[in-house]
Amino acid sequence: MNSLDPASPALGVPFLRTIEWEMMDKRKFFPLSMLSSFSVRCALYPLTVVKTRLQIQRHNEAYKGMMDACVQIRRTEGFRGLYKGFWVSAAQLISGVFYISTYEGVRHLLKERELVSDSRIRGMVGGAAASLVGQSIVVPFDVISQHIMILGQTKGASQAATNPLGVVVEGRSRFQIAAFVTAEIYRRDGLRGYYRGYTASLCTYVPNSAMWWLLYHFYQDELYKLLPTGSSHLMIQCVSGTMGGFTTTLLTNPLDIVRARLQVQRIGSMSRTFRDLWAEERLRIFSKGLSARLVQSAVYSFAIILSYESIKRLSINEEYRELVRW
């Protein structure tokens, strides 16, 4: 499980399986990483809005599924309806920098001090630590943006479910709406209101991140055994990321619904939210909003790994450049 793979008959030279933290020029890596992350989030944000609305609704009262939600939001709220809360959510770029720095830093520390030799386990530990740091930064922005996302969802939905803060939309700009939501959360709950659902977020995203990075490295190893020697290394990484995202989404979907409802519907506790959800949906909690979340996760994982691993290759220090394989 070394970063450097031995020579293969087809290539004749060794290559870097994993580009490590110390091998990169951070002055190139961070700006390129932020730019690519913003581009991917911008392209996939409508799926986040659709997923959130599907998770918040009771049964299928408002939308029958992912495509129906997309069509209805586009028809009743216009294209801008799919980007509600985007600029608040865009602050996740900050958490993204801390996330990737923590992930790479923990992996580097575990390797440098010879605490863990297996890259899959290093990835799992790094992913868990990175998510803990990232969620601590991003949860307030999630809480605010999700309240904005569901504004305008009126069909088959109660005011308490889709507009618990009583936001008046008419005659207000997007900035004024975001400012009102921010102020109203503070008025009702104080600073704690911005961390509503924080425990649920950790229970959802920390194991999700840990499993994703573990599976990312695991699927790479398995694909190398199955595919012909000389297959594109970047292609194998992208497929591995997609498979990892697909798997973790299937395993953590009920927890993500609990998190979303806690943060938006202002229910008292995680256990009560789960009990109410179970009474309302039963086994549908495993499939509620799953189609949008699967598409979002698979596409997001593919796009993020494509950009992340490409940027690592572009940012690598000159002495390692000959060992890079695309």
Side-chain angles (χ1 to χ4, degrees):
M1 305 302 299
N2 295 323
S3 298
L4 191 64
D5 263 20
S8 67
L11 296 172
V13 293
F15 71 95
L16 286 170
R17 172 79 71 90
T18 303
I19 297 174
E20 301 290 355
W21 190 235
E22 70 276 9
M23 299 177 181
M24 292 185 291
D25 182 348
K26 312 307 185 297
R27 294 170 300 178
K28 293 180 180 178
F29 177 77
F30 281 118
L32 290 172
S33 181
M34 291 181 68
L35 178 62
S36 68
S37 179
F38 179 80
S39 301
V40 172
R41 290 181 188 279
C42 185
L44 299 182
Y45 188 77
L47 287 173
T48 304
V49 174
V50 170
K51 179 202 71 171
T52 301
R53 292 200 178 188
L54 289 174
Q55 290 176 332
I56 296 301
Q57 70 173 352
R58 285 175 54 87
H59 305 302
N60 292 325
E61 291 177 336
Y63 310 112
K64 297 176 183 178
M66 180 181 69
M67 292 306 300
D68 182 53
C70 289
V71 172
Q72 286 200 47
I73 293 171
R74 176 68 178 86
R75 181 186 301 148
T76 59
E77 301 170 51
F79 182 74
R80 291 173 63 180
L82 293 168
Y83 279 88
K84 282 188 172 178
F86 173 74
W87 291 110
V88 176
S89 179
Q92 291 184 9
L93 284 175
I94 301 169
S95 72
V97 172
F98 282 92
Y99 178 95
I100 203 63
S101 299
T102 303
Y103 169 73
E104 292 287 359
V106 169
R107 286 186 69 256
H108 175 69
L109 185 66
L110 292 175
K111 181 183 179 183
E112 187 179 54
R113 299 194 177 182
E114 299 182 348
L115 298 174
V116 179
S117 59
D118 193 321
S119 65
R120 292 169 296 189
I121 304 302
R122 290 203 306 271
M124 181 182 71
V125 176
S131 184
L132 178 62
V133 172
Q135 286 303 306
S136 298
I137 298 170
V138 82
V139 164
F141 299 105
D142 268 350
V143 172
I144 295 167
S145 65
Q146 285 177 140
H147 275 288
I148 300 171
M149 284 180 199
I150 60 174
L151 292 175
Q153 179 180 330
T154 55
K155 178 183 175 183
S158 66
Q159 171 90 357
T162 61
N163 192 1
L165 299 179
V167 182
V168 178
V169 178
E170 289 76 14
R172 285 182 168 175
S173 66
R174 286 176 292 177
F175 175 78
Q176 290 173 323
I177 292 171
F180 177 85
V181 170
T182 304
E184 186 66 11
I185 291 172
Y186 183 78
R187 187 185 71 81
R188 295 192 184 195
D189 301 319
L191 290 175
R192 292 178 58 187
Y194 299 120
Y195 279 89
R196 180 177 290 274
Y198 176 65
T199 301
S201 290
L202 293 184
C203 290
T204 302
Y205 290 120
V206 171
N208 185 296
S209 180
M211 284 191 294
W212 190 89
W213 285 106
L214 171 67
L215 292 170
Y216 172 60
H217 291 284
F218 170 78
Y219 284 136
Q220 278 191 66
D221 294 338
E222 296 305 308
L223 287 172
Y224 268 108
K225 297 174 185 176
L226 295 172
L227 296 176
T229 302
S231 297
S232 168
H233 183 39
L234 183 59
M235 182 271 290
I236 290 174
Q237 289 175 320
C238 289
V239 173
S240 299
T242 304
M243 293 171 66
F246 197 88
T247 307
T248 54
T249 297
L250 289 172
L251 295 174
T252 61
N253 195 59
L255 283 170
D256 194 49
I257 300 172
V258 171
R259 174 202 60 80
R261 292 205 172 191
L262 255 176
Q263 292 178 337
V264 174
Q265 294 183 342
R266 307 174 60 78
I267 302 172
S269 67
M270 188 174 174
S271 58
R272 181 188 163 189
T273 305
F274 186 81
R275 287 197 304 270
D276 291 351
L277 185 61
W278 178 256
E280 177 186 315
E281 301 288 349
R282 295 295 177 182
L283 292 175
R284 282 191 294 270
I285 65 172
F286 293 99
S287 60
K288 191 174 185 65
L290 183 61
S291 57
R293 194 162 177 248
L294 279 174
V295 172
Q296 179 198 36
S297 179
V299 176
Y300 182 80
S301 295
F302 182 91
I304 282 294
I305 286 299
L306 177 62
S307 59
Y308 172 65
E309 294 291 354
S310 296
I311 288 168
K312 288 177 75 173
R313 286 163 167 80
L314 295 173
S315 304
I316 197 166
N317 291 324
E318 198 61 41
E319 61 264 36
Y320 302 105
R321 195 166 296 279
E322 291 185 357
L323 298 174
V324 171
R325 174 177 157 194
W326 290 82

